[in-house]
Amino acid sequence: MKQNTLLQIAKDFESPVYVYDSQTITNQYKRLTSAFNKVKNVKINYAVKALSNISILKLMRSLGAGLDTVSIQEVQLGLAAGFKAEDIIFTPNGVSLLEIETVAKLGCQINIDNLSILEQFGTKHPKIPVCIRINPHVMAGGNTNISVGHIDSKFGISIHQIPHILRIVENTNMTINGIHMHTGSDILDIDVFLYASEILFETAKNFKNLEFIDFGSGFKVPYKTGDIETNIEEFGDKLSARFNTFCKNYGKALTLAFEPGKFLVSEAGQFLAKVNVVKQTTSTVFAQVDSGFNHLIRPMLYGSQHEIENISNPNGRERFYSVVGYICETDTFANNRRIAEIRENDILAFKNAGAYCYSMASNYNSRYRPAEVLWHNGEAHLIRKRETFDDILRNQIEIDLKPKKVKV
Ligand SMILES: *Cc1c(COP(=O)(O)O)cnc(C)c1O
């Protein structure tokens, strides 16, 4: 998006504000589907938790995506956005049997990731086919916060427990219609992912009634210059060939499913914040914006590096800044970052703010969550209002604290 457009949006909708470009989302979706165009049946289920605004979900629906959900509320959001229940897969971790049963009753595809629930669900509802989430114990990426396939992970059923899965399936007479893995959020190395896929294929051979194999996500997008990006085209070629061979041997054209979040929306988003104060200290220059980790927590939570541009002074002389927020807590967005000279009231644009940014925002310090704007067909559409003081007070109950009258 053009810097002038972003500046105009910050003016019209005020700051802080999230801006998403629908064209970028569309392009990423098309890149992914065309990388797998040699497979007959491909299903892209967008991971709602990355960015769950209903207008974004509607955009995904218009592109032909299904949804990957992790809570019943995300399922309800998907239904509200017009998705059919059968286009929603429910992939929770550690939720109650009741929540899973409720979602199953709505008609969504259930994905079970532990033996206890598998046995209980299969015993009570042997007629409802379920997918199982496997942990292939493959470490994809180096950061243990976002690698969920390794040995200590709480996600999935270990491949070493397949004999137990088979026993439960046989005893309950339930149907397994899908096999799933989601090894984490960083495919640094295509070969690692293909290796994990082989484990999934091996597992799949044990089940005779499959309709799909779900390879989860882990597509990497660049956050800063020099970052590795998943070569989706090469990956598509390799996995497609392998998948087609598997289907031939299996005797059925299964559906190849993915559930990307970050890949579809990360680069489409920018977060615009205004500089309140430029503060020189003995060791650095702080640029303090009208936001904090209450609005964008990834740098503090994961050490993520979001590029920051001074769109009010793009040609200014570059200097080193520590960009921080206004929260009464250390809330650093960037340390020692080279940015075009920052003046008070300048607008800074934080890149890669589409995924896991707004959806992790909170009211900490009793601040309002920001507005969200979708740039679509050359126009800015407000898709979520900035909160107001009513939102802060909503659900709070003021009780009467008068002292109790004591009888004498
Ligand atoms: C979060 C999540 C995804 C999406 O991961 P990205 O890294 O955003 O692509 C996919 N599948 C499951 C089960 C998830 O929990």
Side-chain angles (χ1 to χ4, degrees):
M1 289 184 65
K2 290 208 184 79
Q3 288 183 337
N4 278 346
T5 309
L6 292 171
L7 282 174
Q8 193 60 44
I9 288 173
K11 206 167 169 192
D12 294 346
F13 300 94
E14 301 181 343
S15 71
V17 60
Y18 278 96
V19 185
Y20 313 113
D21 176 23
S22 69
Q23 192 58 52
T24 306
I25 295 174
T26 305
N27 294 349
Q28 288 294 90
Y29 185 85
K30 292 193 170 147
R31 252 185 88 194
L32 192 54
T33 43
S34 55
F36 288 91
N37 63 9
K38 293 204 183 72
V39 174
K40 191 162 163 239
N41 309 309
V42 177
K43 184 85 203 189
I44 309 292
N45 295 315
Y46 167 62
V48 174
K49 73 178 190 291
L51 176 61
S52 44
N53 188 292
I54 193 161
S55 291
I56 299 292
L57 301 187
K58 285 190 160 178
L59 173 65
M60 295 296 175
R61 189 165 65 89
S62 76
L63 294 172
L67 293 183
D68 173 66
T69 56
V70 295
S71 70
I72 188 168
Q73 289 78 16
E74 285 189 353
V75 170
Q76 287 168 322
L77 262 177
L79 294 172
F83 283 87
K84 285 186 273 176
E86 70 231 43
D87 287 327
I88 301 178
I89 180 164
F90 187 49
T91 307
N93 171 260
V95 308
S96 69
L97 177 63
L98 180 62
E99 183 167 334
I100 292 176
E101 290 177 316
T102 313
V103 173
K105 249 176 235 151
L106 291 170
C108 301
Q109 172 70 49
I110 300 301
N111 189 355
I112 293 182
D113 99 323
N114 66 81
L115 292 172
S116 170
I117 297 281
L118 185 71
E119 183 166 348
Q120 294 176 68
F121 191 90
T123 305
K124 285 175 81 177
H125 314 282
K127 295 244 147 41
I128 303 180
V130 304
C131 172
I132 42 179
R133 178 172 184 171
I134 296 298
N135 182 348
H137 302 308
V138 171
M139 187 81 166
N143 188 334
T144 44
N145 289 328
I146 47 179
S147 302
V148 293
H150 59 93
I151 196 94
D152 297 329
S153 165
K154 68 166 186 163
F155 298 97
I157 305 173
S158 166
I159 37 159
H160 304 302
Q161 293 175 311
I162 288 177
H164 198 163
I165 297 175
L166 293 172
R167 170 145 312 162
I168 291 170
V169 171
E170 195 183 315
N171 290 347
T172 58
N173 217 8
M174 70 194 300
T175 301
I176 303 300
N177 67 343
I179 301 282
H180 167 275
M181 70 168 180
H182 172 63
T183 53
S185 284
D186 276 351
I187 304 177
L188 286 173
D189 186 340
I190 291 176
D191 291 333
V192 173
F193 197 94
L194 291 172
Y195 174 74
S197 307
E198 286 307 321
I199 297 171
L200 208 56
F201 288 132
E202 252 338 281
T203 307
K205 286 182 194 161
N206 291 293
F207 302 92
K208 300 293 160 232
N209 301 303
L210 293 184
E211 288 158 19
F212 65 95
I213 300 181
D214 188 332
F215 294 86
S217 179
F219 303 109
K220 197 164 166 59
V221 294
Y223 272 69
K224 52 184 191 298
T225 37
D227 267 2
I228 301 169
E229 181 179 9
T230 305
N231 184 336
I232 211 82
E233 289 73 24
E234 182 192 346
F235 177 58
D237 275 353
K238 288 187 169 166
L239 185 62
S240 298
R242 190 58 195 89
F243 186 82
N244 288 336
T245 311
F246 175 83
C247 290
K248 215 178 205 176
N249 295 333
Y250 189 80
K252 186 174 169 190
L254 301 176
T255 296
L256 185 161
F258 280 115
E259 44 195 39
K262 208 179 263 178
F263 182 83
L264 294 178
V265 297
S266 175
E267 294 160 294
Q270 304 202 45
F271 179 54
L272 309 180
K274 186 186 274 183
V275 178
N276 283 336
V277 182
V278 175
K279 182 174 185 172
Q280 311 259 355
T281 67
T282 49
S283 61
T284 188
V285 184
F286 286 108
Q288 289 200 276
V289 297
D290 59 352
S291 180
F293 69 56
N294 51 331
H295 297 153
L296 202 173
I297 202 173
R298 298 186 78 257
M300 292 304 290
L301 188 63
Y302 301 125
S304 317
Q305 191 166 331
H306 290 258
E307 296 226 320
I308 302 170
E309 259 175 41
N310 183 359
I311 57 172
S312 297
N313 188 23
N315 300 319
R317 186 170 57 94
E318 287 189 336
R319 297 188 61 190
F320 287 98
Y321 292 96
S322 293
V323 180
V324 297
Y326 62 8
I327 291 297
C328 288
E329 190 112 34
T330 301
D331 59 348
T332 308
F333 292 109
N335 253 326
N336 237 355
R337 197 73 77 72
R338 197 193 280 272
I339 301 171
E341 181 165 14
I342 297 177
R343 304 148 311 179
E344 289 175 359
N345 297 316
D346 279 355
I347 301 289
L348 303 187
F350 294 70
K351 308 285 171 176
N352 283 77
Y356 307 106
C357 291
Y358 187 93
S359 62
M360 287 190 178
S362 77
N363 289 121
Y364 187 47
N365 277 205
S366 295
R367 293 289 182 182
Y368 307 147
R369 268 176 286 215
E372 293 183 291
V373 167
L374 182 65
W375 180 253
H376 183 64
N377 291 339
E379 267 180 65
H381 302 265
L382 185 65
I383 58 171
R384 191 191 305 257
K385 291 189 264 187
R386 182 181 315 286
E387 286 180 331
T388 64
F389 192 63
D390 286 342
D391 296 305
I392 303 291
L393 271 183
R394 194 185 314 281
N395 298 331
Q396 299 198 44
I397 296 165
E398 278 184 80
I399 58 164
D400 188 355
L401 293 168
K402 275 203 302 277
K404 252 191 193 161
K405 275 191 193 120
V406 189
K407 264 189 205 151
V408 233

